[in-house]
Amino acid sequence: MKVVTTIKEISNIITSLKSSQKTIGLTPTMGALHEGHISLITKASSENDFSIVTIFINPTQFDKKEDLDNYPSTLDADIKLVENTGCDLIFTPNASEMYANNIDVESFSFDGLENEMEGKHRANHFDGVGTIVKKFFEITQPTKAYFGEKDFQQLQIIKKMTVKNQLPIEIIGCPIFREKDGLAMSSRNTRLSKKQRESAPFIFKTLTKASQLFQSDSIATINSWIQTEFDSNPDLDLEYFEIANEQTLQTASSKSESTKYRAFIAVYAGKIRLIDNISLQ
Ligand code: PAF
């Protein structure tokens, strides 16, 4: 497995792969890798001739400098973990390589998907994600690209970006990986204190209960039940809970038989922001 840091080096490799018609699987990450990432990378390696992982903490998708500054960075450990996945190449550029000292963010329309949930709470987040993912797609020219369903809104937005720009890339969404107690795996979990870590499984517990209630209760009842649950939990602050249409991501206030729904949640444990979601079908 090779580790490269410049666009020039990776572009030479891509040119040679393309000339021999190899398929390329791309897993974009921001590092601090966990089992969820490893499952994506392993899948990418098994489904393609050549598997690439990008590790890059993208400054333009953070709305708070403090969040960017505190984002975990564990490159040596990440490289060791990736070694056992069948991955062929890690691309880990620095910010000036990716943005050429000019932190320009493209402005995207994802047909409204960007204005829901995370888009309401993290200013310009999806422009930052779109900008960097588009750059990685241009550089690596993948056949397939792999993203986790924990960031379900991001996954839908990237699918939309490939369709709107007619990119010949198949976007593969992969299931959320969870700790034994249900907490969705996230690079941010490593920043939780012992007490916050003990409290955090409450998020998935309430989501699971909400999915059971969805079978019998109204959306308004579930929304107010969730609010009450979090009001009585001193360790976790609910930022939002929404039941939304899985395709449009628009907030649902009533149910229709023919629509697929998902519940989405964002919670603060101290200053650490955790998100999760669950299918309601
Ligand atoms: O999901 C992530 O880790 C990031 O948003 C991504 C897709 C690697 C873009 O920086």
Side-chain angles (χ1 to χ4, degrees), residues 137-138 141-145 147 162-163 166-171:
F137 282 177
E138 281 161 6
Q141 299 172 52
T143 320
K144 295 183 184 180
F147 296 87
T162 50
V163 171
Q166 297 178 316
L167 304 178
I169 304 169
E170 191 182 338
I171 305 300

Side-chain angles (χ1 to χ4, degrees), residues 27-31 37 40 54-62 71 99 122 125-126 128-130 132-133 136 146-148 150-151 154 158 187:
T27 313
T29 80
M30 297 207 295
H37 294 115
L40 302 182
T54 59
I55 299 181
F56 177 65
I57 302 177
N58 174 33
T60 65
Q61 68 188 75
F62 288 82
Y71 200 84
Y99 286 101
R122 301 183 70 188
H125 171 66
F126 289 118
V129 171
I132 199 66
V133 171
F136 282 133
Y146 298 77
F147 296 87
K150 188 172 79 66
D151 297 293
Q154 167 177 282
I158 290 165
S187 306

Side-chain angles (χ1 to χ4, degrees), residues 1-279:
M1 185 182 75
K2 267 192 158 179
V3 181
V4 302
T5 57
T6 66
I7 295 175
K8 192 165 186 287
E9 284 169 287
I10 189 167
S11 298
N12 288 337
I13 296 169
I14 300 294
T15 306
S16 126
L17 289 168
K18 289 284 164 186
S19 71
S20 50
Q21 324 226 302
K22 300 281 191 228
T23 58
I24 298 173
L26 172 69
T27 313
T29 80
M30 297 207 295
L33 303 180
H34 50 69
E35 264 181 75
H37 294 115
I38 296 306
S39 75
L40 302 182
I41 302 167
T42 306
K43 187 167 167 65
S45 307
S46 72
E47 292 182 355
N48 297 276
D49 298 324
F50 197 86
S51 164
I52 301 175
V53 177
T54 59
I55 299 181
F56 177 65
I57 302 177
N58 174 33
T60 65
Q61 68 188 75
F62 288 82
D63 58 340
K64 293 193 182 100
K65 187 173 177 304
E66 193 189 356
D67 193 23
L68 170 62
D69 291 345
N70 290 325
Y71 200 84
S73 171
T74 56
L75 185 60
D76 291 343
D78 291 347
I79 294 172
K80 279 212 181 77
L81 272 179
V82 173
E83 261 162 11
N84 303 318
T85 61
C87 170
D88 300 287
L89 178 79
I90 295 181
F91 178 45
T92 178
N94 61 24
S96 58
E97 186 71 12
M98 290 313 292
Y99 286 101
N101 294 323
N102 175 19
I103 305 271
D104 254 355
V105 181
E106 217 177 301
S107 183
F108 291 90
S109 161
F110 301 111
D111 294 346
L113 293 179
E114 72 279 19
N115 300 326
E116 306 298 331
M117 298 176 293
E118 293 296 287
K120 283 186 199 145
H121 294 272
R122 301 183 70 188
N124 304 325
H125 171 66
F126 289 118
D127 282 340
V129 171
T131 300
I132 199 66
V133 171
K134 190 165 161 237
K135 281 179 193 278
F136 282 133
F137 282 177
E138 281 161 6
I139 295 168
T140 63
Q141 299 172 52
T143 320
K144 295 183 184 180
Y146 298 77
F147 296 87
E149 285 187 349
K150 188 172 79 66
D151 297 293
F152 192 85
Q153 186 171 8
Q154 167 177 282
L155 170 65
Q156 296 296 66
I157 278 176
I158 290 165
K159 282 184 180 164
K160 177 72 77 180
M161 182 170 84
T162 50
V163 171
K164 282 188 94 165
N165 294 292
Q166 297 178 316
L167 304 178
I169 304 169
E170 191 182 338
I171 305 300
I172 314 278
C174 303
I176 299 175
F177 260 60
R178 298 188 178 280
E179 303 291 349
K180 283 201 181 72
D181 55 17
L183 177 65
M185 288 189 185
S186 163
S187 306
R188 291 169 199 269
N189 293 353
T190 56
R191 294 182 51 216
L192 295 169
S193 69
K194 189 165 176 285
K195 187 154 187 295
Q196 289 167 337
R197 177 65 190 81
E198 280 164 14
S199 301
F202 185 78
I203 301 168
F204 183 57
K205 218 171 124 212
T206 47
L207 271 186
T208 309
K209 178 75 180 158
S211 77
Q212 288 158 2
L213 293 176
F214 187 76
Q215 309 314 315
S216 52
D217 290 23
S218 72
I219 291 177
T221 307
I222 300 168
N223 289 343
S224 77
W225 177 78
I226 289 271
Q227 189 62 58
T228 314
E229 286 295 297
F230 278 91
D231 286 348
S232 61
N233 186 322
D235 301 325
L236 301 172
D237 288 325
L238 180 65
E239 184 175 50
Y240 68 77
F241 169 82
E242 284 193 24
I243 291 178
N245 176 315
E246 199 170 280
Q247 288 309 311
T248 65
L249 301 181
Q250 279 172 7
T251 311
S253 50
S254 60
K255 306 179 207 172
S256 132
E257 280 293 316
S258 54
T259 305
K260 278 193 170 176
Y261 297 98
R262 207 167 255 268
F264 297 86
I265 195 164
V267 169
Y268 275 96
K271 292 191 167 171
I272 301 149
R273 190 169 182 276
L274 302 171
I275 61 170
D276 201 348
N277 67 81
I278 193 168
S279 165

